[in-house]
Amino acid sequence: MTTPAQSAPVAVDRLTAVVDLDAVAHNIAILRDRAGGTPVMAVVKADGYGHGAPQIARAALDAGAAEIGVTTVDEALALRAAGITAPILSWLSTRGYRAAIEADVRLGVSSPRQLAGIVADAHAAAVTAVVDVKVDTGLSRNGVAPAEWAATVDALARAVADGAVRLHGVFTHLAHAELPEHPFLDVQRDRLIAAAADLRARGLDPVAVHAANSAATLTRADLRFDLVRPGIAVYGRSPLAGDDCGLRPAMTLAAPVILIKRLAAGDGVSYGHTWIAPRDTVVGLVPAGYADGVVRSLSNRFEVAIGGRRFPAVGRVCMDQFVVDLGPDGGGVSEGDTAVLFGGDRPGEPTAADWGDAVGTIDYEILTGVHGRVVRRYVGAEGPGTSR
Ligand SMILES: *Cc1c(COP(=O)(O)O)cnc(C)c1O
């Protein structure tokens, strides 16, 4: 690979999510390698986990992903409008089928009622709908419930026979994938295999059996089947504790230090004075707050990297800003210097996982929570460019 091991340092003039599309390409290469030749569907739901769905989809497809996965039909249609022509599967919509069918978007089916709606819209559009039936093998979330499986297979057989529907795949979602040894993975695998056999016994031939999210793609060859569906790993975050799998975080959240001032020992910082300067010190102001995804529960619990050094954020995170303690000597920081809130690709940088650990959530929620006034800048394969 020609991809450098680390991305270049970032410099920003406002709160910016710098998205490195070379990192996405690198991560897709790792996932393709781990998938051992099984096609990769890059999951870009929730606006590409906060990274920008069309940009990530394009970078992933250019790097060899075969398909794109999203939750809603609206997300799928937005990708079509952005010029993405690759296969797209949308697995969590109960509306908008006709537009999806006409835009050649595959639909996940989780119940006979949903299938009936798809069949009606396929007739109205006079176009065959292509579906992947989703089996609930034990996550008890979406997917056809065991009690409705027989009725769903019957309805599918009828819909296929009258030309309203073509069955493309059968799939499921795993409950314990981040624990590769968990015995329930075997239970879900075997239930999925049985579901595929049920379909074949009715003359329905799913060409794509699929189950693996990032964690399963990275660890379980027996769960690859015909297609793998990684999400978080595309963005460079490993779902496996203590193993980064060589992935590179694609997003760096950064902001300039916009104001520097001296405080005397005993001065309080931010609302409620939850931090009091223990000594004379210098603080820097960073224009990012909870309205942008720097969750308030991080108050007094995170650090930023400036010029490769770590500094603690002190006092409450406000809607629009927070304060960093630069130490008595000011840490060599000047107004206009860039503070990295999280990135993780260069030595010394905090990560989205650090934030998750600090506030009792996961990096998935941190990444998808980046919003508000954050501007995105794309670097690498497709960049430079700014959106929003
Ligand atoms: C979100 C999602 C994925 C991707 O999961 P990751 O853990 O991010 O890899 C795959 N399949 C389905 C059905 C999903 O909802």
Side-chain angles (χ1 to χ4, degrees):
M1 296 224 25
T2 55
T3 316
Q6 284 165 19
S7 38
V10 297
V12 300
D13 66 356
R14 68 198 122 152
L15 176 58
T16 305
V18 180
V19 178
D20 182 351
L21 298 173
D22 286 340
V24 173
H26 168 90
N27 299 332
I28 292 288
I30 286 186
L31 288 160
R32 289 179 71 196
D33 184 53
R34 294 276 191 125
T38 302
V40 172
M41 168 189 283
V43 177
V44 303
K45 61 190 181 186
D47 202 14
Y49 289 46
H51 296 63
Q55 290 85 354
I56 298 297
R58 242 176 258 126
L61 292 165
D62 287 348
E67 304 194 4
I68 297 299
V70 294
T71 48
T72 68
V73 164
D74 291 339
E75 289 177 312
L77 295 178
L79 290 172
R80 285 283 182 255
I84 306 285
T85 56
I88 300 179
L89 173 64
S90 157
W91 55 70
L92 196 71
S93 262
T94 51
R95 52 166 295 284
Y97 303 137
R98 179 164 181 173
I101 294 163
E102 289 175 342
D104 192 22
V105 170
R106 271 169 25 225
L107 292 163
V109 170
S110 286
S111 77
R113 282 140 344 260
Q114 198 188 1
L115 182 59
I118 292 169
V119 167
D121 281 6
H123 281 304
V127 178
T128 300
V130 186
V131 303
D132 286 34
V133 62
K134 186 167 189 185
V135 196
D136 182 356
T137 57
L139 187 58
S140 307
R141 214 177 63 174
N142 76 330
V144 178
E148 295 197 308
W149 178 242
T152 304
V153 175
D154 284 347
L156 255 180
R158 283 195 302 275
V160 168
D162 83 2
V165 162
R166 180 163 67 79
L167 176 67
H168 176 270
V170 56
F171 70 119
T172 197
H173 198 46
L174 303 165
H176 296 283
E178 68 294 343
L179 302 172
E181 311 291 323
H182 200 289
F184 202 67
L185 289 168
D186 299 349
V187 172
Q188 291 194 274
R189 176 197 60 210
D190 294 346
R191 288 177 180 167
L192 178 62
I193 291 170
D198 290 345
L199 293 165
R200 291 195 181 106
R202 292 295 294 268
L204 301 164
D205 189 19
V207 296
V209 177
H210 47 113
N213 61 359
S214 297
T217 302
L218 292 164
T219 59
R220 292 276 302 234
D222 62 324
L223 294 168
R224 288 176 196 157
F225 296 104
D226 306 307
L227 181 69
V228 294
R229 304 190 310 265
I232 194 75
V234 172
Y235 308 94
R237 302 290 332 159
S238 169
L240 307 172
D243 181 3
D244 72 7
C245 300
L247 298 163
R248 287 178 47 201
M251 184 192 291
T252 299
L253 185 64
V257 177
I258 57 168
L259 183 65
I260 289 179
K261 59 180 62 167
R262 299 200 152 274
L263 297 185
D267 285 347
V269 167
S270 191
Y271 294 130
H273 284 176
T274 62
W275 189 82
I276 309 280
R279 42 162 164 60
D280 293 355
T281 193
V282 176
V283 294
L285 183 67
V286 179
Y290 60 75
D292 308 298
V294 187
V295 290
R296 189 170 175 273
S297 48
L298 278 169
S299 297
N300 291 305
R301 315 179 79 150
F302 72 115
E303 296 180 341
V304 301
I306 308 174
R309 278 184 61 184
R310 296 278 283 252
F311 298 95
V314 294
R316 288 250 169 87
V317 172
C318 308
M319 189 184 296
D320 322 300
Q321 47 192 298
F322 65 85
V323 171
V324 174
D325 181 18
L326 301 171
D329 66 355
V333 176
S334 306
E335 289 180 357
D337 286 358
T338 292
V340 172
L341 281 61
F342 65 72
D345 205 10
R346 294 152 294 251
E349 288 181 352
T351 67
D354 293 338
W355 283 25
D357 291 344
V359 303
T361 184
I362 52 176
D363 44 9
Y364 292 68
E365 185 175 0
I366 299 298
L367 292 173
T368 56
V370 171
H371 63 291
R373 292 155 292 206
V374 180
V375 169
R376 287 199 197 111
R377 185 202 299 163
Y378 292 94
V379 298
E382 204 182 70
T386 300
S387 79
R388 287 212 297 204

